[in-house]
Amino acid sequence: MTAPKTLSEVRELYARPLLDLVFEAAGVHRSHHDASEVQLCTLLSIKTGGCAEDCAYCPQSSHHKTAVKAEPLLETGAVLDAARAAKAAGSTRFCMGAAWREAGDGPEFERVLDMVRGVRGLGLEACCTLGMLTEDQARRLAEAGLTAYNHNLDSSESFYGEIIGTRTYKDRLDTIKGVAKAGISLCCGGILGMGESAEDRVGLLHTLASLDPQPESVPINALVPIDETPLAGRAPLDPFDFVRTIAAARILLPKAMVRLSAGRLSLSPEAQALAFLAGANSIFTGEKLLTTSNPGADLDAALLGSLGLKGRPPCKDDEPALAAQA
Ligand code: SAM
Ligand code: DTB
Ligand code: SF4
């Protein structure tokens, strides 16, 4: 069956009885992926805080007086030490995040290119999230061997203006187009629990599924409410809404890696298990994401162990790319 694509089809899909949706998503998952494997990814904040954007959810925005302390761009050596440690702990993808509105040109961007080359040289997938990019920057990241670029749409176009005032949905889509043009895989997802409606989630899913090419990776974040941000007091996300969105994403983007991202500490092991059944097939490991806490290695090993899941082996689909670089 062809995946539904119109907005009304996505709306109907999203509104189905939860267990029917999970059942169908589990089938789609199993026909496109090895359902016994979960890809383990590690995140590192390479440049923390002091960001010029006003994203209402974000601890790193300079518009909110949060507890996050701004730090300059890390040195390449420190980043590669972290990447080696991530690899030793079983991660196959290393994601570098910078609290930038946009990646500027100059020595800092050159350093990020060095980091990408170094991470790829370790045999890891390399992902970056640096804010808006020009087409030339995207091309240079591709040349350095970048596997994927993370640039989230976060929510529907109509809800976007309620959470971010310093950039538009179109700015986001323009960077996404430049990334695709440079031949870099796209990692693009959203945040649930910001006060958005079911219709906003439908809008986000429809936009993600309509991107051409579709994202190779879809991170689904549960809002981590941060003190002193405008979203600090948001009501906790209903875990079944989280699972419903994962299931719909799996059906609409059958080939993508669907990643359980921020906010896993607020999800029970049972909710995460249902999310894996519904087609999630990746997690971020380690005690810290960019600035927020994450379940540690022991908790995750116990969770995967009790579900009979295993970490995906290194660079399964990535060997030709690495061989071409050697
Ligand atoms: N500055 C870049 C950008 O915004 O594209 C990259 C870093 S930014 C922190 C990466 C993503 O983290 C955002 O797109 C957002 O989806 C997610 N994020 C940030 N704060 C969050 C929070 N409190 N809870 C859940 N997700 C969050
Ligand atoms: C994404 O969608 N989730 C990851 C990754 N992209 C960069 C990280 C989100 C963490 C945000 C909260 C923090 O600061 O830790
Ligand atoms: Fe945070 Fe990224 Fe928004 Fe900056 S652009 S405030 S780092 S989410």
Side-chain angles (χ1 to χ4, degrees), residues 176-215:
I176 286 170
K177 270 191 213 131
V179 165
K181 196 166 163 196
I184 302 172
S185 292
L186 176 67
C187 170
C188 185
I191 309 181
L192 308 182
M194 297 187 291
E196 74 286 348
S197 63
E199 184 64 15
D200 291 317
R201 291 178 193 150
V202 166
L204 171 67
L205 287 163
H206 178 251
T207 306
L208 291 175
S210 306
L211 291 173
D212 185 17
Q214 285 196 333

Side-chain angles (χ1 to χ4, degrees), residues 206-258:
H206 178 251
T207 306
L208 291 175
S210 306
L211 291 173
D212 185 17
Q214 285 196 333
E216 161 259 355
S217 160
V218 179
I220 304 289
N221 299 280
L223 175 73
V224 182
I226 308 287
D227 286 349
E228 307 302 332
T229 64
L231 302 190
R234 281 290 185 270
L237 175 67
D238 179 342
F240 292 136
D241 285 345
F242 187 80
V243 171
R244 177 180 293 285
T245 306
I246 297 275
R250 169 51 69 220
I251 295 168
L252 292 165
L253 297 109
K255 295 195 198 131
M257 299 299 291
V258 175

Side-chain angles (χ1 to χ4, degrees), residues 51-55 57-61 98-101 167 172:
C51 183
E53 300 277 35
D54 67 354
C55 311
Y57 47 75
C58 187
Q60 304 198 67
S61 163
W100 281 327
R101 174 167 203 269
R167 61 166 188 259
R172 256 359 221 187

Side-chain angles (χ1 to χ4, degrees), residues 26 29-30 32-38 276 280-281 307-310:
H29 185 203
R30 275 146 212 270
H32 288 85
H33 302 267
D34 179 342
S36 68
E37 287 181 356
V38 171
F276 291 130
N281 58 351
L307 300 178
L309 295 171
K310 54 182 190 289

Side-chain angles (χ1 to χ4, degrees), residues 28 38 41 63 91 93 96 142 162 168 186 189 197 203 210 214 219 234 238 251 264 269 273 292 308:
V28 171
V38 171
C41 310
H63 296 253
S91 270
R93 185 168 173 114
M96 294 164 272
E162 294 191 31
T168 63
L186 176 67
S197 63
S210 306
Q214 285 196 333
R234 281 290 185 270
D238 179 342
I251 295 168
R264 276 198 304 123
T292 63

Side-chain angles (χ1 to χ4, degrees), residues 47 49-64 98-103 130-133 151-152 154 160 163-169 171-172 175 229-230:
K47 187 268 168 190
C51 183
E53 300 277 35
D54 67 354
C55 311
Y57 47 75
C58 187
Q60 304 198 67
S61 163
S62 58
H63 296 253
H64 325 307
W100 281 327
R101 174 167 203 269
E102 69 252 299
L130 314 170
M132 292 185 253
L133 289 184
H151 206 61
N152 290 340
D154 283 338
Y160 203 71
I163 46 169
I164 299 160
T166 47
R167 61 166 188 259
T168 63
Y169 216 63
D171 290 331
R172 256 359 221 187
T175 293
T229 64

